[in-house]
Amino acid sequence: MAGKWVRMVTAQTPTNIAVIKYWGKRDETLILPVNDSISVTLDPAHLCTTTTVAVSPSFDQDRMWLNGKEISLAGGRFQSCLKEIRSRACDVEDEEKGIKIAKKDWENLHLHIASYNNFPTAAGLASSAAGFACLVFALAKLMNAKEDQSQLSAIARQGSGSACRSLYGGFVKWIMGKDEDGRDSLAVQLADEKHWDDLVIIIAVVSSRQKETSSTSGMRETVETSLLLKHRAKEVVPKRIVQMEEAIKNRDFASFAQLTCSDSNQFHAVCLDTSPPIFYMNDTSHRIISAVEKWNRSEGVPQVAYTFDAGPNAVMIARDRKAASLLLRRLLFHFPPNADTDLNSYIIGDKSILQDAGIQGKEDVDALPPPSEIKDNIPSHKFRGDVSYFICTRPGRGPVLLSDKSQALLNPETGLPK
Amino acid sequence: MAGKWVRMVTAQTPTNIAVIKYWGKRDETLILPVNDSISVTLDPAHLCTTTTVAVSPSFDQDRMWLNGKEISLAGGRFQSCLKEIRSRACDVEDEEKGIKIAKKDWENLHLHIASYNNFPTAAGLASSAAGFACLVFALAKLMNAKEDQSQLSAIARQGSGSACRSLYGGFVKWIMGKDEDGRDSLAVQLADEKHWDDLVIIIAVVSSRQKETSSTSGMRETVETSLLLKHRAKEVVPKRIVQMEEAIKNRDFASFAQLTCSDSNQFHAVCLDTSPPIFYMNDTSHRIISAVEKWNRSEGVPQVAYTFDAGPNAVMIARDRKAASLLLRRLLFHFPPNADTDLNSYIIGDKSILQDAGIQGKEDVDALPPPSEIKDNIPSHKFRGDVSYFICTRPGRGPVLLSDKSQALLNPETGLPK
């Protein structure tokens, strides 16, 4: 293992959105939850983390860069993941480069890690889920660890709970587990992303002036003070998990939507039942819910499910492309872009939904008629500027290795960010 | 009972604010709740209903005027109250006027009713509670019914559930009862208004563009769809009722505030757990809660409790006048009046709190420094215009008869509104 070589691996990992929510830990250090959860993996084409991990005998310490800026690896969560994955490292042999790393060498070798999100880190879009999943997945490949995705998910979980669900594409269940050491608290895939490929996802990134409670401290306070959380975790969620698995298996959108919306609302209810109360949704979030609920009721069968994580952003899952384009028309009617915002940066991701919606430019947005379900009512308000932008996407695949070396984030000679 | 006489009675009844909330009926017609509740009666000097009821052989039908406008008495709730109270009517003899009404005559006599709120009816300030309590109380006096206040409360309950708690001053418990016919679902006084006369109440009437779900349909939907409500009603509220009675008995403000805030938040949590979800609080409500919570924490012991009914208005209960004046300074700092609003109409009710707060005019509002608990933070936003006005009041007395005939709302000759 002598010499000046740098060995590196680059991986890409998706983010995910829970449809049955994780809220509350029974073990803070190991990150063991109080209930199972289920998520949909989002297409990494629109939301993902790319991470390059490198090892070299010339590195004198572990270092990490996030979106180009060096960050500390001193936190307990990084250290847990690094320690767990190092203990699973195996012999590596790269004949082409003439590199040989023995299993026992790994504990003396240092790592460089560079990670990049293709979406704003602070927008409340589960960047830590994709980030820790990508870190663990990439390190496992670099170190030739033999663990399968489920076993890796139990390591990623120790970085950020929801990260374990980003080890798979499609529909994923995080089984809470029973063991005290957390070895059975891991993710399994319920169905891959091709199983239900009608679904279209639109995310409203909602402008917010409020500083939000972090999910770590928020869920700790809920566990300590909410008198409703235990009932939710023990009595409500287990039944919903069974029903949600069935809905996904049968592609039963009506059940899927009803469960998704109810569970999002119940998660925010237990936040409100916390002392002091936690508010993640704001008036804009409420208006989006009201618009979706009104439309769903007017159609008789649900067209769209909504779910909100620890912030005001709405994630809407439409039953198909047709529903998604009708949803987008409604969203743009209520939340048109500011005068200085160009439509091309207001709707990002899969822009073909915008074409389906018959919208070419901002004049088409201004010309949108009120949705039929609100026509009879009092003149409807417009909330211009209350949404920062929309992301159109869909369910997507799990982690992949990027073999194209040009996509690496570290210089192959120096092991430093490009 | 012949002749052209009009006999009338005028009464004044307070409104009340629940500190342990009523939400959910087990019987929609009789208005029987799923849990006990506890309220504070508000001083009728600032918030009350005045009702004049009149009987005359010359009236050919029951009629009612609310705030000067005739309204229908056809609704089931009015009819229930009228029927119940008529069945309890007794002989009446007015020697001075030479009127004699025998018990059996009442079923053939018609009534005129005029009612007036000294506060905006639509502002979400429990006008129906004060209104039905006043109607029943005044009719009982007119008809010489022998029932005590508790028995009258069980009649008022059939008009509007929370009305039963307006039959007493001070601190009142509505016992849910067990009987199917509802006879034991009634209010009792826990302590009168002199028991804890340090308390000062400030109500923020919050501007809202949203049409709110009525509490009648809201609680029906919660009973039908929330998976958390039953747990709240059966497991949480009974313990809180015991604790709240104890806190009131001992004038233990710390416990009183903790229970009041937690129970308000839990009521809004079960609203959010309803399908479709019900939002009564808006961003302004959330900001008021955050400001109060932050101040309470910085003081170490609670200075103010907050509670919200089925709307965005905040009812804040301060431990004493000192705390109330400090609260008012904080509220005016965050929510200054609009440029075109005069301070005298922005702070109504007991304006002496404004003097205690050292505020003479709008220039004093503009000069308010940020509260010490937020000084270190990022420059704090001002939310000018987000509160319509504030009402300063206190716990108050129960219903009274107004013997001054000039206060009657009906003409003593014609029985029609003055």
Side-chain angles (χ1 to χ4, degrees):
Chain A
M1 74 172 234
K4 269 301 220 177
W5 53 264
V6 175
R7 176 174 157 78
M8 55 195 227
V9 161
T10 300
Q12 187 193 63
T13 301
T15 184
N16 71 79
I17 177 76
V19 289
I20 299 292
K21 297 294 187 191
Y22 152 52
W23 196 253
K25 300 184 182 77
R26 63 180 202 277
D27 184 306
E28 291 263 346
T29 311
L30 290 170
I31 310 191
L32 302 176
V34 296
N35 54 250
D36 293 352
S37 53
I38 292 179
S39 60
V40 178
T41 299
L42 304 185
D43 189 342
H46 309 126
L47 292 164
C48 73
T49 296
T50 302
T51 300
T52 299
V53 291
V55 62
S56 167
S58 65
F59 297 167
D60 57 3
Q61 56 170 319
D62 293 339
R63 296 178 72 181
M64 177 163 180
W65 295 264
L66 175 61
N67 296 327
K69 206 183 143 193
E70 183 155 14
I71 62 168
S72 165
L73 280 169
R77 292 169 166 218
F78 279 115
Q79 289 303 316
S80 294
C81 287
L82 292 176
K83 182 175 152 247
E84 291 285 328
I85 200 76
R86 270 195 171 100
S87 75
R88 287 163 176 84
C90 295
D91 294 348
V92 170
E93 185 161 3
D94 183 335
E95 293 193 351
E96 193 186 319
K97 287 198 170 177
I99 301 171
K100 250 186 154 170
I101 310 172
K103 187 176 166 63
K104 65 169 174 48
D105 295 337
W106 281 105
E107 54 191 275
N108 301 313
L109 284 166
H110 291 289
L111 301 164
H112 281 188
I113 302 159
S115 199
Y116 171 79
N117 299 322
N118 70 347
F119 57 93
T121 304
L125 296 168
S127 55
S128 69
F132 277 104
C134 208
L135 175 69
V136 169
F137 179 78
L139 287 175
K141 298 302 165 196
L142 180 75
M143 297 181 177
N144 196 22
K146 307 298 189 210
E147 275 65 25
D148 65 18
Q149 295 295 89
S150 254
Q151 290 165 313
L152 293 182
S153 79
I155 300 174
R157 190 202 74 228
Q158 296 175 56
S160 169
S162 55
C164 72
R165 297 186 311 238
S166 274
L167 267 299
Y168 289 105
F171 300 83
V172 184
K173 173 159 84 159
W174 175 8
I175 300 168
M176 63 181 285
K178 287 176 186 166
D179 286 352
E180 272 191 31
D181 66 4
R183 77 179 67 189
D184 61 349
S185 186
L186 42 73
V188 296
Q189 189 178 51
L190 298 174
D192 70 18
E193 63 277 19
K194 293 180 203 82
H195 167 71
W196 197 353
D197 62 1
D198 283 347
L199 301 180
V200 176
I201 297 172
I202 299 180
I203 302 170
V205 178
V206 170
S207 322
S208 170
R209 285 194 290 193
Q210 308 280 105
K211 197 195 164 315
E212 281 143 28
T213 310
S214 83
S215 58
T216 299
S217 64
M219 65 177 84
R220 185 188 308 125
E221 288 163 17
T222 302
V223 169
E224 285 170 3
T225 65
S226 169
L227 299 178
L228 300 178
L229 177 69
K230 198 170 278 178
H231 184 74
R232 160 174 168 74
K234 298 286 167 237
E235 305 296 330
V236 179
V237 175
K239 295 190 186 83
R240 284 186 177 165
I241 289 283
V242 173
Q243 293 164 345
M244 182 58 93
E245 288 192 55
E246 198 65 16
I248 290 168
K249 194 175 102 189
N250 302 325
R251 292 183 283 263
D252 171 358
F253 189 78
S255 300
F256 176 84
Q258 190 268 320
L259 288 163
T260 297
C261 299
S262 298
D263 206 65
S264 173
N265 291 327
Q266 188 171 86
F267 149 50
H268 292 278
V270 299
C271 288
L272 190 41
D273 189 50
T274 300
S275 176
I278 304 166
F279 314 109
Y280 287 123
M281 296 197 290
N282 63 18
D283 285 349
T284 307
S285 316
H286 292 173
R287 288 184 185 113
I288 292 173
I289 289 180
S290 297
V292 169
E293 289 279 0
K294 197 172 279 182
W295 183 36
N296 279 346
R297 263 170 295 153
S298 79
E299 293 285 341
V301 288
Q303 302 299 306
V304 177
Y306 56 80
T307 187
F308 294 73
D309 271 354
N313 299 338
V315 177
M316 290 161 276
I317 307 176
R319 61 185 311 139
D320 53 27
R321 281 188 70 90
K322 171 84 176 141
S325 67
L326 293 171
L327 170 64
L328 192 56
R329 288 172 66 89
R330 285 168 167 80
L331 292 169
L332 287 170
F333 173 80
H334 292 294
F335 305 99
N338 272 329
D340 57 354
T341 305
D342 138 52
L343 194 58
N344 203 43
S345 59
Y346 195 59
I347 311 286
I348 64 174
D350 176 5
K351 291 176 201 276
S352 70
I353 305 290
L354 199 57
Q355 281 153 24
D356 284 15
I359 291 169
Q360 316 280 331
K362 283 176 87 171
E363 62 287 359
D364 298 323
V365 174
D366 294 335
L368 280 170
S372 55
E373 66 273 16
I374 64 163
K375 258 184 187 151
D376 304 332
N377 285 25
I378 329 118
S380 43
H381 287 287
K382 300 258 184 180
F383 298 96
R384 197 177 292 277
D386 287 359
V387 170
S388 300
Y389 55 93
F390 293 99
I391 306 170
C392 296
T393 185
R394 66 179 80 81
R397 70 177 182 201
V400 290
L401 281 178
L402 300 182
S403 52
D404 175 358
K405 297 218 161 44
S406 72
Q407 293 183 278
L409 302 174
L410 295 171
N411 181 306
E413 309 296 324
T414 62
L416 291 170
K418 282 181 175 174
Chain B
M1 77 173 233
K4 269 299 215 178
W5 53 265
V6 175
R7 177 174 156 77
M8 55 195 227
V9 162
T10 300
Q12 188 193 62
T13 302
T15 185
N16 71 79
I17 179 75
V19 289
I20 298 293
K21 298 293 188 190
Y22 152 53
W23 195 253
K25 301 184 181 78
R26 63 180 202 277
D27 184 306
E28 291 263 347
T29 311
L30 290 171
I31 311 192
L32 302 177
V34 297
N35 55 250
D36 293 351
S37 53
I38 291 178
S39 59
V40 178
T41 299
L42 304 185
D43 189 342
H46 308 127
L47 293 164
C48 73
T49 295
T50 302
T51 300
T52 298
V53 293
V55 62
S56 168
S58 66
F59 297 166
D60 56 4
Q61 56 171 320
D62 292 340
R63 296 177 71 182
M64 177 163 180
W65 295 264
L66 175 61
N67 296 327
K69 206 182 141 192
E70 185 155 12
I71 61 167
S72 165
L73 280 169
R77 292 171 165 217
F78 279 115
Q79 289 303 315
S80 294
C81 287
L82 292 176
K83 182 173 153 249
E84 292 284 330
I85 200 77
R86 271 196 172 98
S87 75
R88 286 164 176 84
C90 295
D91 294 346
V92 170
E93 186 161 358
D94 183 335
E95 293 193 352
E96 194 186 319
K97 285 195 169 180
I99 301 168
K100 250 184 154 172
I101 310 171
K103 186 175 166 65
K104 65 172 175 43
D105 295 336
W106 282 105
E107 54 190 276
N108 300 314
L109 284 167
H110 291 290
L111 301 165
H112 281 189
I113 302 158
S115 200
Y116 171 80
N117 299 322
N118 71 346
F119 57 94
T121 304
L125 295 168
S127 55
S128 70
F132 276 106
C134 208
L135 175 69
V136 169
F137 179 78
L139 288 174
K141 298 302 166 197
L142 181 75
M143 297 180 177
N144 196 23
K146 307 299 188 211
E147 275 65 24
D148 65 19
Q149 295 295 88
S150 254
Q151 290 165 315
L152 293 181
S153 80
I155 300 175
R157 188 202 74 228
Q158 297 175 56
S160 169
S162 55
C164 72
R165 296 187 311 238
S166 274
L167 267 298
Y168 289 104
F171 300 83
V172 185
K173 173 159 85 158
W174 176 7
I175 300 168
M176 62 180 287
K178 288 176 186 163
D179 287 353
E180 273 192 29
D181 65 6
R183 78 179 67 189
D184 61 349
S185 185
L186 41 75
V188 295
Q189 189 178 50
L190 298 175
D192 71 18
E193 63 277 18
K194 292 180 204 84
H195 167 71
W196 197 353
D197 62 1
D198 283 347
L199 302 181
V200 175
I201 298 173
I202 299 180
I203 302 171
V205 178
V206 170
S207 323
S208 170
R209 286 196 289 194
Q210 308 281 102
K211 195 193 164 314
E212 282 143 26
T213 311
S214 82
S215 59
T216 299
S217 64
M219 65 176 84
R220 186 188 307 123
E221 287 162 18
T222 302
V223 169
E224 285 168 3
T225 64
S226 168
L227 299 178
L228 301 179
L229 177 69
K230 198 171 279 179
H231 184 74
R232 160 174 167 74
K234 298 285 166 237
E235 305 297 330
V236 180
V237 174
K239 294 189 187 83
R240 285 186 177 165
I241 289 281
V242 173
Q243 294 165 342
M244 182 59 93
E245 289 192 55
E246 199 64 16
I248 291 169
K249 194 176 103 188
N250 301 325
R251 293 184 281 266
D252 171 357
F253 190 78
S255 301
F256 175 83
Q258 191 269 322
L259 288 163
T260 297
C261 300
S262 298
D263 206 66
S264 172
N265 291 328
Q266 188 172 84
F267 149 52
H268 292 279
V270 299
C271 289
L272 189 42
D273 188 50
T274 300
S275 176
I278 304 166
F279 314 110
Y280 287 124
M281 295 197 290
N282 63 18
D283 285 349
T284 307
S285 316
H286 293 174
R287 287 183 186 114
I288 291 172
I289 290 180
S290 297
V292 170
E293 289 279 1
K294 196 172 281 181
W295 183 36
N296 279 345
R297 262 171 295 151
S298 80
E299 293 285 340
V301 287
Q303 302 299 305
V304 177
Y306 56 81
T307 187
F308 294 73
D309 271 353
N313 298 338
V315 177
M316 289 160 276
I317 307 176
R319 62 185 311 141
D320 54 26
R321 280 187 72 91
K322 171 85 177 143
S325 67
L326 293 171
L327 171 64
L328 192 56
R329 288 173 66 90
R330 284 168 168 79
L331 292 168
L332 287 169
F333 173 80
H334 293 295
F335 305 100
N338 272 329
D340 58 355
T341 304
D342 140 52
L343 194 59
N344 203 41
S345 59
Y346 195 59
I347 310 286
I348 64 174
D350 176 4
K351 290 176 201 275
S352 69
I353 306 292
L354 200 56
Q355 281 153 22
D356 283 15
I359 291 170
Q360 316 280 331
K362 284 175 87 172
E363 61 287 359
D364 299 324
V365 174
D366 295 334
L368 281 169
S372 55
E373 66 273 15
I374 64 165
K375 258 184 188 152
D376 304 332
N377 286 24
I378 329 121
S380 42
H381 287 287
K382 298 259 184 179
F383 299 96
R384 198 177 292 278
D386 287 359
V387 169
S388 300
Y389 55 95
F390 293 99
I391 306 170
C392 295
T393 184
R394 66 179 80 82
R397 69 177 182 201
V400 290
L401 281 178
L402 299 182
S403 52
D404 175 358
K405 297 217 160 47
S406 72
Q407 292 182 279
L409 302 173
L410 295 171
N411 180 307
E413 309 295 324
T414 62
L416 291 169
K418 279 182 176 173

